[in-house]
């Protein structure tokens, strides 16, 4: 009797849930689309198979952020068959059965359901350019004949005791770049492969995690035959170099990796599982990295060289809030700004200007654009089927599209059609006191939009400022068709999640303008680049939410790092293998060092530097990182004021930033740079000064504690190529050695560890 009663209650509950209304106002656009498709699928199934109550199956799920009144959360999850994975306060990440999403939205305790599709992809001299070689020390001999890198100063900041986390695609776990040269073991300590089919016993929403994967014979991520991006970015941040000049920045760090899904991963995902792979799963990837670091009692920096054009209509508000909650002391997130600046994706109508706009430039039959405004703005779509005069116009007065409404119209163009949907939302990711209004304009044509007559989006109304956003996929253009609508420009194109408040956003600078590949061919990539300046593709701000982004830049052009041996083996004719700088054998496999370009490469450079800083100060906060960047970064373009929307605070300077992090930058008389012709090290109670050519002038040596106390002061009147100073007055600890000389190249400072 109890069993029957329980079944009856469950059945009644299911009927009650199934007949709840759907509250689309609580959903992000991506979730709305999923619900509409699910309802269409259910209706079609009912009409074809009227009696399906006997069929049982594991329901497909959507991984999403849900904001819910916390007191009711556990009961709601149970009632609707949801699986909670993580939460901070009232912001949960939940696996929701697809057939329950609509009903869940109508529950009074549920305030918001969000998810967005996953994003897409966006070393030898690098350490010298950013000054990282001055805060590292080599652990294994390096073949000096293959590198022009000067021997780094001996200092114990190499990422030891810090977790470097990289979320990316295409990992080769066997690459010797990730092998500890002393123990011969893999330095990859934890690995969540979100695409693997090996899910038996897994507690993860997708895939499974592995600890010490080399012991489990996991050779590459599930996408390792199709992708290699993660092998490269991980090598930049944390690669050991394997007897090469291509050592990563934090080469002594522990490594934690997450292989996630991107646009190109769709072939590896069962169609029933598509909706599991969203930005909510990416958020869990960041949490996985920090949870592992916390279990080890170590600080961590998480690096993401992916992104997507952000939303400004509340689509990303819960994702941003979740990352805010993850970030804090010893938890730093960095992400790529994006490579959008070679496309025109933005147009502005300033206040006081009656109208401005731009033409569509997209090679698809579906496109969408966003307009953000701080006032009453009318929107029009102009069609030009008859030359330079509009053949048709759709006009949308602001009053005709109230917030949370949708309007649909169709243009008829020389026998073709283009359906246009426009809807409006209040924005959530805005820095203004009052919410701005966002309009999303969808174009759904019967053929490729480039095959239709020109279409233009126009913002109208002198009293309001309007901003029109596209993306590299949905571009904007200026045309001679109608010169009034030629406001398209680049910029304002920083990706998410780099645009989120707590994430450090990284742009790219160009230094290496070419390289010689393993075939002996020189590859010249100097076009459009100025050495030391911003890379022409690097996305620039401000971000859609008004924040100053990017915050920092680092070298991103032709960065040499590891490439996946499995990718090379499976794709021997791939064009990017022509960027391999060197092939070499290790344990019977062919491996490579490859030159690659993008903010994807600049991001792990910054992550590696932050790992060095975390070693010096394990409780370093994101705000303290920003403070260090603001005080110590180089200014590549002297014509600009800093910070700015191109470089942020400038280009990262690892050594100067370290001095700032340690508090040593305030010591009067200490240089914020190292000597060019002098190397300083400490060992066995002696301070060693070494130079290739003995100076012809005296050297004045001062040693300060990190707190600024002068503990040693002496002058070497007749310096030799190598000089030693006893350190009997110095207790074990960190010190700053300042050397001054009338010959500038011998003047500078160095942090040393005295043991």
């Amino acid at each position: 009797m109890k069993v029957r009663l329980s079944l009856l209650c469950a059945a009644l509950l299911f009927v009650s849930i199934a007949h709840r209304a759907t509250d689309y106002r609580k959903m992000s656009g991506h979730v709305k689309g999923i619900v509409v498709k699910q309802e269409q699928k259910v209706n079609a199934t009912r009409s074809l198979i009227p009696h399906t109550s006997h069929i049982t199956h594991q329901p497909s799920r959507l991984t999403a952020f849900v904001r819910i009144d916390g007191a009711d959360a556990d009961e709601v999850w149970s009632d609707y068959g949801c699986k909670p994975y993580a939460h901070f306060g009232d912001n949960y990440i939940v696996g929701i059965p697809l057939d329950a999403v609509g009903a869940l939205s109508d529950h009074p305790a549920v305030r918001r359901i969000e998810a967005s599709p996953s994003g897409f992809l966006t070393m030898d001299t690098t350490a010298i350019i950013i000054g990282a070689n001055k805060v590292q020390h080599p652990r294994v001999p390096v073949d000096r004949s293959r590198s022009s890198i000067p021997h780094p100063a001996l200092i114990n900041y190499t990422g030891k005791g810090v977790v470097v986390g990289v979320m990316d695609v295409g990992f080769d776990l066997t690459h010797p770049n990730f092998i500890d040269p002393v123990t011969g073991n893999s330095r990859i300590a934890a690995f969540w492969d979100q695409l693997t089919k090996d899910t038996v016993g897994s507690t993860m929403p997708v895939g499974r995690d592995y600890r010490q994967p080399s012991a489990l014979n996991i050779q590459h991520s599930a996408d390792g035959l199709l992708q290699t991006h993660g092998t490269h970015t991980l090598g930049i941040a944390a690669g050991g170099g394997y007897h090469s000049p291509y050592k990563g920045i934090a080469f002594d760090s522990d490594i934690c990796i997450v292989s996630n899904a991107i646009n190109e991963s769709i072939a590896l995902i069962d169609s029933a599982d598509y909706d599991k792979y969203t930005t909510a799963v990416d958020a869990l990837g960041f949490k996985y990295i920090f949870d592992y670091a916390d279990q080890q009692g170590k600080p961590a920096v998480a690096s993401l060289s992916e992104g997507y054009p952000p939303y400004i209509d509340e689509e990303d508000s819960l994702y941003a809030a979740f990352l805010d909650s993850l970030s804090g002391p010893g938890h730093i997130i960095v992400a790529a700004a994006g490579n959008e600046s070679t496309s025109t994706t933005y147009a502005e109508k300033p206040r006081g200007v009656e109208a401005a706009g731009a033409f569509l430039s997209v090679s698809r039959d579906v496109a969408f654009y966003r307009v953000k405004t701080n006032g009453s703005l009318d929107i029009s779509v102009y069609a030009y089927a008859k030359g330079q005069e509009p053949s048709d116009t759709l006009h949308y007065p602001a009053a005709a599209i109230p917030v949370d409404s949708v309007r649909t119209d169709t243009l008829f163009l020389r026998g073709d059609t283009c359906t246009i949907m426009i809807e409006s939302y209040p924005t959530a990711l805005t820095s203004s006191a009052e919410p701005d209004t966002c309009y999303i304009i969808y174009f759904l044509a019967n053929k490729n939009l480039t095959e239709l007559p020109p279409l233009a989006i126009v913002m109208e109304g002198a009293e309001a400022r309007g901003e029109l956003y596209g993306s590299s996929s949905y571009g904007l253009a200026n045309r001679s068709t109608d010169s009034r609508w030629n406001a398209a420009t680049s910029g304002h194109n920083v990706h998410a999640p780099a645009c989120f408040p707590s994430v450090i956003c990284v742009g790219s600078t160009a230094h290496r303008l070419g390289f010689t590949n393993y075939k002996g061919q020189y590859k010249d990539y100097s076009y459009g680049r100025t050495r030391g300046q911003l890379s022409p593709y690097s996305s620039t701000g401000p971000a859609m939410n008004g924040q100053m982004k990017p915050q920092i830049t680092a070298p991103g052009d032709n960065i040499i790092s590891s490439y996946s041996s499995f990718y090379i083996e499976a794709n021997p004719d791939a064009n990017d293998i022509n960027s391999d700088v060197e092939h070499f054998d290790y344990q019977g496999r062919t491996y490579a060092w490859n030159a690659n370009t993008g903010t994807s490469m600049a991001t792990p450079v910054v992550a590696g530097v932050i790992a060095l800083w975390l070693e010096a100060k394990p409780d370093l906060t994101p705000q303290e990182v920003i403070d260090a960047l603001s005080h110590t970064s180089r200014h590549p373009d002297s014509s600009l004021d800093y910070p700015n929307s191109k470089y942020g605070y400038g280009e990262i300077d690892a050594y100067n930033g370290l001095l700032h992090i340690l508090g040593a930058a305030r010591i009067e008389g200490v240089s914020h740079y190292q000597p060019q012709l002098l190397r300083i090290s400490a060992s066995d109670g002696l301070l060693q000064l070494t130079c290739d050519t003995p100076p012809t002038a005296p050297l004045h040596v001062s040693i300060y504690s990190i707190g600024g106390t002068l503990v040693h002061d002496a002058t070497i009147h007749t310096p030799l190529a190598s000089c030693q100073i006893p350190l009997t007055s110095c207790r074990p600890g960190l010190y700053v050695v300042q050397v001054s000389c009338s010959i500038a190249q011998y003047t500078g400072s160095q942090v040393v560890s005295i043991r």
Side-chain angles (χ1 to χ4, degrees):
M1 181 65 182
K2 289 182 180 179
V3 174
R4 289 187 178 183
L5 181 60
S6 298
L7 291 173
L8 177 61
C9 290
L12 290 174
L13 177 62
F14 175 80
V15 171
S16 173
I17 290 174
H19 285 84
R20 276 190 180 274
T22 297
D23 191 343
Y24 290 103
R25 294 172 300 175
K26 294 181 181 178
M27 300 179 189
S28 67
H30 183 63
V31 176
K32 286 178 188 173
I34 289 171
V35 171
V36 169
K37 289 180 181 178
Q38 179 65 17
E39 290 177 348
Q40 292 172 343
K41 179 180 177 181
V42 169
N43 291 335
T45 301
R46 284 174 179 165
S47 65
L48 293 172
I49 311 174
H51 303 292
T52 58
S53 59
H54 65 283
I55 298 175
T56 60
H57 63 280
Q58 182 68 27
S60 298
R61 293 181 181 272
L62 165 70
T63 312
F65 300 95
V66 180
R67 178 155 280 163
I68 185 172
D69 294 331
D72 300 318
D74 290 342
E75 182 180 352
V76 171
W77 306 147
S78 177
D79 288 348
Y80 289 81
C82 299
K83 290 185 177 181
Y85 298 116
H87 77 99
F88 289 99
D90 62 357
N91 188 2
Y92 285 73
I93 294 179
V94 183
I96 312 169
L98 289 184
D99 54 9
V101 178
L104 180 65
S105 70
D106 193 46
H107 195 286
V110 173
R111 289 180 280 160
R112 183 72 180 165
I113 305 175
E114 289 182 12
S116 297
S118 297
F120 49 87
L121 302 178
T122 48
M123 201 50 200
D124 47 347
T125 60
T126 304
I128 296 176
I129 294 166
I130 64 172
N133 63 309
K134 304 298 173 34
V135 298
Q136 300 167 331
H137 71 88
R139 289 208 322 184
V140 296
V142 173
D143 183 352
R144 307 314 308 169
S145 66
R146 297 170 58 197
S147 173
S148 59
I149 305 176
H151 190 285
L154 294 177
I155 173 65
N156 296 323
Y157 289 118
T158 60
K160 193 172 183 62
V162 177
V163 173
V164 170
V166 172
M167 183 156 57
D168 211 316
V169 296
F171 290 101
D172 180 350
L173 280 65
T174 71
H175 200 291
N177 204 19
F178 313 125
I179 302 299
D180 187 303
V182 176
T183 66
N185 297 327
S186 172
R187 291 170 47 227
I188 301 173
F191 171 36
W192 178 12
D193 191 341
Q194 296 183 351
L195 290 169
T196 182
K197 304 298 184 183
D198 175 23
T199 59
V200 177
S202 173
T203 60
M204 318 302 278
V206 293
R208 70 170 302 143
D209 79 313
Y210 304 88
R211 301 298 168 103
Q212 290 297 340
S214 60
L216 298 174
N217 200 31
I218 306 300
Q219 296 184 314
H220 59 79
S221 54
D223 60 2
L225 304 182
L226 302 176
Q227 304 286 348
T228 180
H229 194 261
T231 306
H232 198 271
T233 58
L234 178 60
I236 295 170
Y242 183 62
H243 299 278
S244 81
Y246 312 124
K247 187 187 295 290
I249 305 299
F251 53 80
D252 266 336
S253 59
D254 292 351
I255 296 173
C256 176
I257 56 177
V258 177
S259 179
N260 69 340
I262 58 171
N263 293 12
E264 293 87 343
S265 303
I266 193 167
L268 301 174
I269 301 173
D270 189 299
S271 60
D273 294 332
Y274 285 165
D275 296 319
K276 293 181 180 180
Y277 292 89
T278 66
T279 48
V281 170
D282 287 343
L284 289 175
F286 287 118
K287 185 176 184 297
Y288 177 82
I289 291 168
F290 292 132
D291 283 350
Y292 170 77
D294 291 344
Q295 292 163 9
Q296 305 304 311
K298 297 176 180 180
V301 55
S303 178
L304 179 71
S305 291
E306 301 168 6
Y308 58 93
Y311 301 96
I312 50 177
D313 50 19
E314 293 192 346
E315 302 270 314
D316 285 323
S317 60
L318 296 187
Y319 188 11
F322 195 89
L323 296 191
D324 285 347
S325 299
L326 279 179
S327 301
H331 287 189
I332 314 294
I333 300 174
V334 298
N339 305 330
E340 299 280 289
S341 284
T342 55
S343 305
T344 49
T345 58
Y346 176 78
E348 179 188 9
K349 188 202 75 63
R351 187 187 299 272
V353 174
E354 183 58 39
F359 287 88
L360 276 59
S361 176
V362 54
S363 299
R364 303 184 182 190
D365 58 358
V366 176
F368 69 90
Y369 297 83
R370 285 176 165 78
V371 173
K372 186 176 74 170
T373 180
N374 58 358
S376 180
L377 190 76
D378 296 349
I379 298 174
S380 294
V381 176
Y382 286 69
Y384 291 82
K386 298 179 181 178
Q388 295 184 323
E389 290 296 324
S391 58
D392 200 356
T393 302
L394 294 177
H395 184 64
Y396 302 97
I401 317 171
V403 170
D404 292 328
S405 69
V406 181
R407 178 171 167 178
T408 303
D409 296 282
T410 300
L411 288 172
F412 296 91
L413 307 162
R414 299 176 186 164
D416 294 310
T417 60
C418 183
T419 298
I420 297 172
M421 298 174 60
I422 182 167
E423 55 182 320
S424 87
Y425 295 90
T427 62
L429 298 177
T430 179
S431 58
S432 59
E434 294 295 327
D436 294 339
T437 299
C438 173
Y439 300 93
I440 307 180
I441 309 169
Y442 299 91
F443 294 83
L444 302 95
N446 68 320
K447 61 173 59 174
N448 195 313
L449 283 160
T450 57
E451 300 176 38
L452 298 182
L455 298 173
I457 299 174
V458 178
M459 301 169 285
E460 301 171 331
E463 298 303 315
R465 178 174 181 252
E467 296 177 277
L468 170 61
Y469 294 91
S471 68
S472 56
S473 298
Y474 310 123
L476 298 170
N478 300 317
R479 300 184 186 278
S480 59
T481 306
D482 193 334
S483 59
R484 293 178 299 169
W485 319 134
N486 281 349
T489 186
S490 62
H492 297 74
N493 49 25
V494 172
H495 274 167
C499 67
F500 295 168
S502 59
V503 178
I504 295 171
C505 176
V506 183
S508 171
T509 49
H511 288 270
R512 180 186 282 116
L513 304 184
F515 59 89
T516 301
N517 69 10
Y518 75 105
K519 299 176 181 178
Q521 303 164 332
Y522 182 75
K523 300 292 183 178
D524 185 353
Y525 291 101
S526 60
Y527 179 77
R529 291 162 167 79
T530 301
R531 195 183 303 276
Q533 301 287 300
L534 192 74
S535 302
Y537 54 80
S538 187
S539 289
T540 60
M544 284 188 180
N545 58 9
Q547 287 198 9
M548 192 277 292
K549 298 273 184 169
Q551 289 138 315
I552 194 64
T553 60
D557 277 38
N558 302 311
I559 306 301
I560 299 174
S561 182
S562 41
Y563 236 44
S564 169
S565 63
F566 298 96
Y567 174 83
I568 294 171
E569 188 174 72
N571 305 275
D573 298 322
N575 185 60
D576 55 349
I577 294 177
N578 287 321
S579 294
D580 288 355
V581 172
E582 182 180 345
H583 285 172
F584 65 97
D585 292 330
Y586 174 75
Q587 295 188 350
R589 292 193 63 81
T590 298
Y591 293 88
W593 305 108
N594 176 283
N596 220 324
T597 289
T599 56
S600 284
M601 283 62 249
T603 299
V605 171
V606 172
V609 170
I610 291 174
L612 306 183
W613 295 350
L614 281 167
E615 185 180 356
K617 190 176 188 299
D619 62 349
L620 189 67
T621 68
Q623 188 51 51
E624 287 174 327
V625 171
I626 294 296
D627 183 62
L629 297 177
S630 69
H631 285 89
T632 65
S633 299
R634 290 189 289 267
H635 296 165
D637 188 340
S638 60
S639 69
L640 299 175
D641 294 326
Y642 289 82
N644 58 63
S645 61
K646 293 183 176 181
Y647 294 90
Y649 292 107
E651 186 177 64
I652 197 166
D653 185 324
Y655 180 71
N656 201 6
L658 175 66
L659 291 179
H660 186 88
I661 295 296
L662 293 173
R666 64 176 179 269
I667 301 175
E668 187 175 352
V670 168
S671 303
H672 293 186
Y673 52 87
Q674 302 77 31
Q676 296 179 28
L677 300 180
L678 179 68
R679 296 187 298 278
I680 305 169
S681 61
S683 63
D684 299 327
L686 296 173
L687 183 72
Q688 185 83 25
L689 307 180
T690 307
C691 45
D692 295 331
T693 303
T696 57
L699 300 177
H700 187 81
V701 182
S702 303
I703 304 177
Y704 298 89
S705 68
I706 290 298
T709 302
L710 181 65
V711 297
H712 185 90
D713 197 50
T715 299
I716 303 175
H717 292 281
T718 55
L720 303 175
S722 179
C723 307
Q724 294 180 337
I725 299 175
L727 298 173
T728 54
S729 60
C730 298
R731 297 179 178 179
L734 291 175
Y735 293 84
V736 182
V737 179
Q738 173 67 38
V739 177
S740 300
C741 181
S742 60
I743 304 173
Q745 290 89 338
Y746 293 92
T747 296
S749 68
Q750 180 62 58
V751 178
V752 298
S753 177
I754 296 176
R755 304 187 181 192

